[in-house]
Amino acid sequence: MIRGIITLLFVILFLLVTSPLLLALWLWHKASPDSAWRVSHRILSWAVTVIQRLVGIRLVVHGLENIPRDRALIYMGNHRSFFDVLCTLPLLPGPTSYIGKKEFSSIPLLSTWMSCLDVLFLDRKNTREGLKMVLEAIDMLGRGHSIFIYPEGSRSKTNSMLPFHGGSFKIAGKSGAPIIPVAISNSSRALEDQFPRLPWTRKSTLILTFGPAIETADLDRQSIRRLPDQVRSCLAGMLLENGEVWQHEASARELREFAAGKASPSNPGVSLQDAGLSAPPQPLPR
């Protein structure tokens, strides 16, 4: 509980102390978005690193070599925790913005920081606004600015991934930007698994795996329609390798064999559907 209280106090103090600087950054962003983004990203990356240490999060990162440095990308990750954004933010090379729920746009100070990072707010109840956001994301990618999307749309409260929303893949299909699958394991252990005992937090090891790029340029309609299954299978395979699913029921060897399509999990009560899979994923290079 002490860690949680200290972390909460740090966040409040950070937002209050940096509010004069935030106003300057917001005005600067109007004149020079790229420069303001870089400064905002540095400041928030520092704050995020402090939060990770206060909470007791240890990061294990795989696959950074899979990230191309010469073009705009679409990162697609599974979503289990508020820490998913906090732990990926400092790692991404080049200008990268997130797509967040519109509800965040009404939170004082935090919403201004998000605007300085060019976060795109999605109104899931308004189709016209949703289409406008998709076009903004495509334009941003065309200007060399990467996008991070959680295609589930909201946090999953189980080990299974939620259904993917189609808008994420419209952005990929229209822009032709490569997709980088990002598997995030154990992020909910630090906070969400402690609900409702707020502000209780727990030390945890969070595993991030960046998969090989999935090219989307010049795909036909049928291939674009298959993208959600392809990304989902890739994410599920990496999560299995990280021990996210069946971590208490199966050995590491069984998980590797299952990810390679050579075996079934030892626990017969856990199905492929429970893991969010329609078929065993293909093995992934590390």
Side-chain angles (χ1 to χ4, degrees):
M1 178 175 288
I2 294 176
R3 285 180 176 274
I5 293 173
I6 293 174
T7 303
L8 183 60
L9 288 174
F10 172 79
V11 171
I12 294 172
L13 283 173
F14 173 80
L15 291 175
L16 291 176
V17 170
T18 59
S19 54
L21 173 63
L22 180 58
L23 176 60
L25 284 171
W26 183 76
L27 293 172
W28 187 11
H29 186 268
K30 298 292 184 182
S32 180
D34 290 342
S35 299
W37 184 94
R38 283 192 291 271
V39 175
S40 301
H41 183 264
R42 266 185 208 176
I43 295 170
L44 285 179
S45 294
W46 170 82
V48 162
T49 302
V50 173
I51 291 171
Q52 291 174 19
R53 290 174 180 172
L54 290 174
V55 173
I57 291 178
R58 174 176 172 264
L59 273 182
V60 177
V61 183
H62 302 291
L64 285 175
E65 68 278 4
N66 290 323
I67 303 177
R69 306 298 176 108
D70 58 345
R71 48 188 168 160
L73 306 165
I74 300 174
Y75 299 93
M76 290 193 180
N78 60 299
H79 197 18
R80 292 284 305 279
S81 172
F82 292 115
F83 285 110
D84 295 341
V85 174
L86 296 182
C87 291
T88 54
L89 178 67
L91 295 173
L92 305 178
T96 304
S97 297
Y98 290 77
I99 291 180
K101 294 186 291 187
K102 187 182 178 182
E103 289 77 1
F104 287 115
S105 65
S106 59
I107 301 176
L109 298 180
L110 177 61
S111 61
T112 311
W113 275 114
M114 295 173 76
S115 295
C116 289
L117 287 179
D118 292 322
V119 170
L120 298 175
F121 296 106
L122 173 62
D123 186 351
R124 292 176 293 180
K125 298 179 182 178
N126 189 320
T127 304
R128 179 176 295 179
E129 288 299 313
L131 178 59
K132 181 180 176 182
M133 189 278 299
V134 168
L135 295 175
E136 288 177 355
I138 294 170
D139 178 67
M140 192 173 283
L141 287 161
R143 291 186 280 110
H145 205 104
S146 297
I147 300 289
F148 200 118
I149 304 174
Y150 297 102
E152 295 168 275
S154 60
R155 290 178 292 115
S156 172
K157 295 177 175 59
T158 69
N159 278 348
S160 298
M161 284 182 281
L162 298 173
F164 285 179
H165 292 276
S168 306
F169 299 93
K170 287 180 182 177
I171 295 172
K174 297 284 186 181
S175 67
I179 296 173
I180 301 292
V182 186
I184 308 170
S185 299
N186 302 333
S187 57
S188 63
R189 291 187 182 183
L191 180 65
E192 281 79 3
D193 290 353
Q194 315 308 316
F195 285 173
R197 296 178 295 170
L198 290 176
W200 192 279
T201 59
R202 177 184 178 186
K203 284 186 176 183
S204 60
T205 298
L206 190 152
I207 306 173
L208 287 174
T209 304
F210 294 87
I214 298 173
E215 298 294 340
T216 65
D218 302 320
L219 292 181
D220 56 31
R221 289 186 178 181
Q222 190 65 27
S223 298
I224 291 174
R225 278 196 286 264
R226 288 197 296 265
L227 275 177
D229 287 337
Q230 187 177 357
V231 172
R232 190 181 185 88
S233 179
C234 189
L235 286 174
M238 292 188 290
L239 289 171
L240 282 167
E241 286 191 352
N242 292 343
E244 175 77 2
V245 185
W246 305 305
Q247 54 197 339
H248 301 299
E249 294 87 357
S251 67
R253 178 181 176 182
E254 287 174 312
L255 290 174
R256 287 194 297 269
E257 289 179 348
F258 178 72
K262 298 176 182 177
S264 298
S266 60
N267 184 353
V270 182
S271 66
L272 288 175
Q273 288 72 25
D274 291 329
L277 292 167
S278 56
Q282 295 301 311
L284 299 170
R286 296 290 257 187

